[in-house]
Amino acid sequence: ELNQVALCKMAEALIAQGKLAEAESRLNEINATGWHRPHREAIYLTTSGYLQLNKGRHDLALESLQKAYSLFQSGGHSTSRAAAR
């Protein structure tokens, strides 16, 4: 079974291909599994924000990206490669 981070990467690829509905479905599946690590949730929120940007929902994108950044900061990962995305 693929981990949540790998599934987020797959969703990012779908977004880049313009398959937004499929990417959203994949992200919903990932979110339903629950979060055991804040870092992984932050990566999910970053991908979700990317999806929202591509859907033209800048308000929701900002909300997701702000939550992600907060999680990266609280986990000491604010300067990580994932946080920079």
Side-chain angles (χ1 to χ4, degrees):
E1 181 177 322
L2 295 172
N3 70 37
Q4 292 168 321
V5 175
L7 292 171
C8 282
K9 293 288 183 189
M10 292 174 74
E12 287 176 20
L14 291 169
I15 295 166
Q17 295 172 6
K19 298 177 180 179
L20 303 183
E22 194 174 339
E24 186 168 24
S25 176
R26 180 63 51 95
L27 286 173
N28 289 337
E29 290 173 25
I30 296 166
N31 194 35
T33 64
W35 301 103
H36 304 292
R37 296 184 183 154
H39 181 72
R40 287 186 179 183
E41 183 177 4
I43 291 171
Y44 160 79
L45 287 167
T46 301
T47 306
S48 180
Y50 177 49
L51 172 65
Q52 295 304 327
L53 280 173
N54 279 273
K55 290 174 68 176
R57 291 299 311 264
H58 299 123
D59 56 330
L60 296 177
L62 180 61
E63 184 179 319
S64 290
L65 295 171
Q66 285 176 331
K67 286 180 186 176
Y69 185 67
S70 179
L71 286 170
F72 281 127
Q73 280 186 313
S74 66
H77 298 283
S78 62
T79 59
S80 71
R81 186 177 216 177
R85 291 183 351 94

